[in-house]
Amino acid sequence: MMAVSGEQAPAGERMLRMPSCLLKLTRVVLSHKPWALFILIVAFVSFVYHKLHWGIWEDPNSRGHPYGLSDEISCAHYVPSSLNIAAGPSPSTGNVFFVETSEQTTPSYLFSCSVESAARAHPGSRVTVLMKGMAKGNTSLSKHWAFSLLSCFPNVEIQPLDLTELFSGTPLAQWYLQPQRYQEPHILAVLSDACRIVLMWKFGGIYLDTDFIVLKNLQNLTNALGIQSEDVLNGAFLSFKPKHEFMELCMQDFVQNYNGWVWGRQGPELLTRVFKKWCSLRTIKTMSCKGVSALAPEAVYPIPWQNWKKLFEAVSALELHKLLEHTYAVHIWNKLSHGTKLEIPSQALLAQLYSQFCPATYAKMKQDSEEWARRAV
C-alpha cells in the first residue's frame, strides 16, 4: 500500500512554481551566449524532477503529513485510560524490548503497530525500543509521525542502541569488536540475533521482533520461546528471567559456533541446537524441559512462513477468532511480506489485525491511504 503526503497547495502549482533564484538565472543566461541555454534547461528539468520525486513518489514515512498527528490520531482518543498513568510502569514488571540494528530512523507502519500493540497489551510494563540510528545523536526523530504517535503511550521509551555497551561483560564483547564482521552479508540480522540473547541474559523480560502484532499479555510466558515449524525454534519472541543459564549457553554457542555467512545460523539454528542439548533431544516438540518451554506454533507463529500470503487474504470475523483463539502474538514475516500491497480498509487478515490491535497506527494508515487516493484522481 502506498500513501503520499505533502503541502495542501495544488500539485501543479507546487511543482512548477519557479523560485526567484531560478528567474534571475534565466535573465543572466539569456543575456549571454546561446550555449548557456543548455544550463537553463538542465536547471529547470532538475528543479521539476526534484519536486516531482519528493512531492509525489516520496515514501510517506519520511516527509510532510507523516511528521505530525492529525486530529484523527490524537493521544486522548487513542490511548486507553489504563495506560494514562502519570507515574508510568513499575520497573518490577519487566521490560518488553524491540531492537533496530540498522541506521533506520523512519519506522514503518508495521514497526509502529508492533510497538503500539505491545504497549496496549502490557500497560504495566516498560516497552523499550532500542535504535542504533539514535546512537549518533540524531535529534530529528521526534518529527516523524511514528515517534509522535508512540510518545502518546507513557510506557514506551525509545532509546539509543549502544552495541559496545550492550555486549560489554559478555562473551560477545570481543566478537563485536572484530571489524571483518561488517563484510558479512547478513550482519544486521546477526547483530539482531546477538542483541536479543544478550538483552535476555542481562535484563530479562520479553523480546519481540518489530514485525509482530501482539494480541495478549505475554508475561505469563516465562523462560519460553516458540516453535516456528517442525524441528525449528525461532527467536523472534523470547521471554526469560535475567541471567538464565539457557541464555548464557546461547551466548557461548554464538561465539563458539559462529558463522555469519549462513542465514539463520546465529538465530533459529542456534536456539534449536542449544535447546536440543539442553533437553538431550533429537527432535523439537512442544514441551517444557528443565524450566524452559518450547511453545506450540499457534502461540506466536500461527501463520507459518510458507503461508505468509494468507495474511493478505480476506477472512471473516469468525475465521479470525478461530485462527487466533490460542495465539498471543502474530509474526508477520516482514522479510517475505514487506513488498505486498495491503488494502486499507479491507477484510484482509493483516488489515483486521492492524484495526483491532494497533488502532492509532491503523488510523494513520487509513489517513495516508485516503490522501493517496485523492492525489491519484
Side-chain angles (χ1 to χ4, degrees):
M1 183 200 64
M2 292 182 65
V4 176
S5 57
E7 297 82 356
Q8 295 303 307
E13 182 182 347
R14 289 200 320 274
M15 287 185 287
L16 299 178
R17 184 183 296 139
M18 191 179 294
S20 59
C21 61
L22 201 53
L23 288 171
K24 291 178 182 178
L25 176 61
T26 304
R27 298 189 189 103
V28 172
V29 168
L30 291 177
S31 65
H32 290 74
K33 297 179 181 180
W35 63 262
L37 283 172
F38 177 73
I39 299 175
L40 175 61
I41 294 170
V42 171
F44 182 75
V45 170
S46 176
F47 168 73
V48 173
Y49 172 79
H50 176 83
K51 298 302 289 183
L52 279 168
H53 179 73
W54 294 107
I56 294 180
W57 304 117
E58 187 180 28
D59 178 26
N61 291 346
S62 60
R63 185 178 179 271
H65 251 37
Y67 283 124
L69 297 179
S70 71
D71 293 338
E72 299 175 61
I73 310 178
S74 64
C75 291
H77 182 71
Y78 280 102
V79 177
S81 57
S82 61
L83 281 171
N84 194 16
I85 304 170
S90 167
S92 64
T93 57
N95 284 335
V96 179
F97 290 102
F98 292 92
V99 171
E100 177 56 66
T101 54
S102 75
E103 300 294 335
Q104 178 65 254
T105 56
T106 54
S108 65
Y109 295 126
L110 182 54
F111 185 113
S112 176
C113 183
S114 296
V115 180
E116 179 188 347
S117 63
R120 290 177 180 275
H122 303 85
S125 298
R126 182 176 292 110
V127 178
T128 303
V129 183
L130 299 170
M131 302 189 72
K132 188 170 182 286
M134 288 184 66
K136 294 183 178 180
N138 191 330
T139 59
S140 64
L141 300 185
S142 60
K143 296 181 181 179
H144 191 277
W145 69 264
F147 295 106
S148 298
L149 186 153
L150 296 174
S151 70
C152 293
F153 295 85
N155 58 334
V156 172
E157 293 182 356
I158 301 175
Q159 300 179 3
L161 173 60
D162 186 329
L163 292 171
T164 302
E165 180 181 351
L166 177 62
F167 296 146
S168 66
T170 76
L172 281 75
Q174 290 301 314
W175 163 83
Y176 176 65
L177 295 178
Q178 298 177 25
Q180 67 269 26
R181 298 294 176 222
Y182 282 87
Q183 300 173 7
E184 296 168 356
H186 312 300
I187 184 60
L188 293 180
V190 169
L191 285 174
S192 179
D193 292 331
C195 287
R196 68 193 68 189
I197 60 177
V198 172
L199 284 168
M200 291 296 94
W201 184 77
K202 277 192 168 184
F203 307 107
I206 296 165
Y207 168 84
L208 291 166
D209 274 358
T210 54
D211 58 348
F212 258 111
I213 297 180
V214 182
L215 317 186
K216 303 171 186 174
N217 191 293
L218 296 158
Q219 287 185 327
N220 64 328
L221 304 177
T222 305
N223 300 332
L225 64 171
I227 297 175
Q228 168 187 300
S229 55
E230 185 178 353
D231 205 35
V232 179
L233 293 169
N234 193 311
F237 157 80
L238 295 171
S239 178
F240 280 85
K241 293 182 178 179
K243 305 298 188 294
H244 196 283
E245 184 183 354
F246 183 84
M247 284 292 109
E248 185 175 2
L249 292 174
C250 287
M251 291 192 298
Q252 293 171 2
D253 186 282
F254 188 98
V255 176
Q256 292 169 1
N257 297 304
Y258 184 78
N259 186 343
W261 294 86
V262 178
W263 174 261
R265 171 73 179 177
Q266 305 305 120
E269 288 187 24
L270 181 152
L271 294 166
T272 300
R273 63 180 175 260
V274 172
F275 189 82
K276 286 182 176 180
K277 291 179 183 177
W278 180 263
C279 298
S280 300
L281 293 173
R282 289 189 175 182
T283 304
I284 299 291
K285 57 183 178 180
T286 303
M287 63 180 300
S288 180
C289 171
K290 296 167 63 176
V292 177
S293 298
L295 305 175
E298 58 264 28
V300 287
Y301 306 110
I303 309 293
W305 68 265
Q306 299 92 331
N307 298 339
W308 65 268
K309 291 183 179 179
K310 184 177 180 65
L311 291 161
F312 297 87
E313 297 174 2
V315 297
S316 68
L318 180 59
E319 289 176 304
L320 182 64
H321 175 74
K322 287 182 178 179
L323 177 67
L324 305 179
E325 188 174 2
H326 301 293
T327 299
Y328 288 83
V330 180
H331 195 222
I332 307 303
W333 307 107
N334 187 55
K335 184 175 174 63
L336 299 170
S337 65
H338 71 276
T340 306
K341 183 179 180 180
L342 176 64
E343 295 288 346
I344 297 293
S346 73
Q347 290 301 305
L349 171 57
L350 183 54
Q352 293 192 59
L353 292 176
Y354 272 111
S355 176
Q356 292 184 36
F357 300 102
C358 54
T361 301
Y362 179 78
K364 176 60 179 166
M365 296 173 71
K366 189 176 179 182
Q367 171 191 318
D368 288 348
S369 180
E370 292 169 351
E371 179 68 15
W372 167 250
R374 284 194 296 269
R375 289 175 178 271
V377 173

